[in-house]
Amino acid sequence: SGVIYFPKTKLPLNIFEQRYLDLVKDTYDNNKLMGMVQSKRNTNEIYKVGCLGKISDFLETGDGRILISLVGMTRFEIIKEVENKKKYREFEVDYGKFYKDLMKPEKIDIAYDKFSFIDKVKNFFEKNGLMINWKEFEKLDETQKVNTLSMIAPISNEEKQKLLETVSLNEKTKTLLNIIEFYSYENSFDKETIQ
C-alpha cells in the first residue's frame, strides 16, 4: 500500500511480510517479473492499472527479510483475478493499451515545453523540501524524467494513480502540471488573509 511505481523507474523494496516473501521468491525463481497494483483506500478492491517490473537486485538478509530492486517495464490493465491457494493475489492482465511503454525513447513525440515543465516542477519540489540532484536527473530520457517525477512527487496516492493510468507522456506531463498548479494555488490561498 502506498507504493506506486512507473515504467523506466527503479524501486528499492524491503520485503518482510510472509505473503510478499513468497511472491518475491516465486518470482525470482521463475522469470523475475512481477506486477504491482494499488489497493483502493480502506478496501480490498484494487485499481485496474498497475506496473510490471523485473527484479534486478536480490539480497536475503540474516533476519528473514529480502531486499530487492524492481525495474519498471510496462503498465497493464487487469482483466480478472486468478484463483489460487497462495498468500498473494494473481491476475490475468493486458498490456495492449500501454504498448508505448516498451518503445525506444526517440520514437516518442514530445509536444510540451520541457524547460517550462521542469522549472515548474523544480519550484514545486523545492517549496515542499524535496531535493533532487538535477544534474544527474538531466541524464535520464524524457520518459524516465516524467515517470520519476510522477513517482516521487509530494502528492496523494490517488493522484499518482491517475498519473500511472494516463496513457501518453504528453498527457501525463499536462496532468502533473495541473496537480502541481492546484497545490500551488491551494497553498497561496491558505496564506491569504480575508478581512
Side-chain angles (χ1 to χ4, degrees):
S1 178
V3 179
I4 300 173
Y5 81 114
F6 289 74
K8 299 188 178 188
T9 63
K10 194 169 185 176
L11 177 67
L13 292 170
N14 177 11
I15 311 296
F16 54 87
E17 270 188 70
Q18 191 57 54
R19 62 182 167 158
Y20 298 128
L21 289 168
D22 292 351
L23 168 63
V24 168
K25 286 178 183 174
D26 289 352
T27 299
Y28 196 75
D29 291 342
N30 191 3
N31 57 14
K32 297 184 176 78
L33 298 174
M34 67 183 237
M36 212 157 69
V37 65
Q38 279 299 298
S39 298
K40 293 186 178 179
R41 193 183 299 205
N42 303 322
T43 175
N44 197 34
E45 286 184 54
I46 55 165
Y47 286 99
K48 296 297 179 199
V49 174
C51 186
L52 178 73
K54 185 167 189 170
I55 297 174
S56 64
D57 300 309
F58 181 96
L59 175 68
E60 292 185 81
T61 65
D63 58 2
R65 293 176 297 128
I66 297 176
L67 306 176
I68 64 168
S69 286
L70 201 56
V71 177
M73 296 178 65
T74 183
R75 292 165 291 167
F76 57 80
E77 283 185 294
I78 291 177
I79 297 171
K80 67 178 181 179
E81 186 157 2
V82 176
E83 293 292 323
N84 69 30
K85 302 245 187 252
K86 300 170 185 173
K87 293 180 181 177
Y88 56 86
R89 297 170 76 179
E90 291 182 302
F91 299 90
E92 184 181 319
V93 300
D94 180 62
Y95 301 99
K97 184 176 178 180
F98 303 107
Y99 71 94
K100 287 187 177 179
D101 288 350
L102 298 172
M103 291 175 70
K104 293 189 187 307
E106 62 271 9
K107 300 270 187 206
I108 298 170
D109 293 326
I110 296 168
Y112 60 91
D113 182 342
K114 293 189 274 187
F115 300 108
S116 173
F117 172 73
I118 292 297
D119 281 347
K120 288 177 181 177
V121 171
K122 276 183 182 179
N123 188 32
F124 177 68
F125 276 40
E126 286 169 10
K127 283 183 178 176
N128 284 279
L130 199 61
M131 296 299 166
I132 291 180
N133 182 338
W134 294 104
K135 191 174 180 182
E136 284 299 310
F137 180 79
E138 283 303 317
K139 295 176 183 176
L140 303 175
D141 68 47
E142 289 308 308
T143 302
Q144 288 173 311
K145 287 177 185 175
V146 174
N147 284 342
T148 299
L149 293 171
S150 297
M151 188 170 91
I152 65 172
I155 59 178
S156 73
N157 287 337
E158 290 78 15
E159 289 162 328
K160 288 182 184 185
Q161 182 66 35
K162 183 177 182 179
L163 290 165
L164 182 70
E165 294 176 11
T166 304
V167 178
S168 77
L169 186 66
N170 293 313
E171 192 62 32
K172 192 179 296 174
T173 57
K174 184 179 173 185
T175 302
L176 182 57
L177 281 178
N178 287 340
I179 292 168
I180 286 171
E181 286 168 6
F182 172 77
Y183 277 98
S184 299
Y185 174 78
E186 191 177 60
N187 288 341
S188 67
F189 186 77
D190 287 346
K191 291 175 184 171
E192 288 181 13
T193 304
I194 298 174
Q195 307 253 342

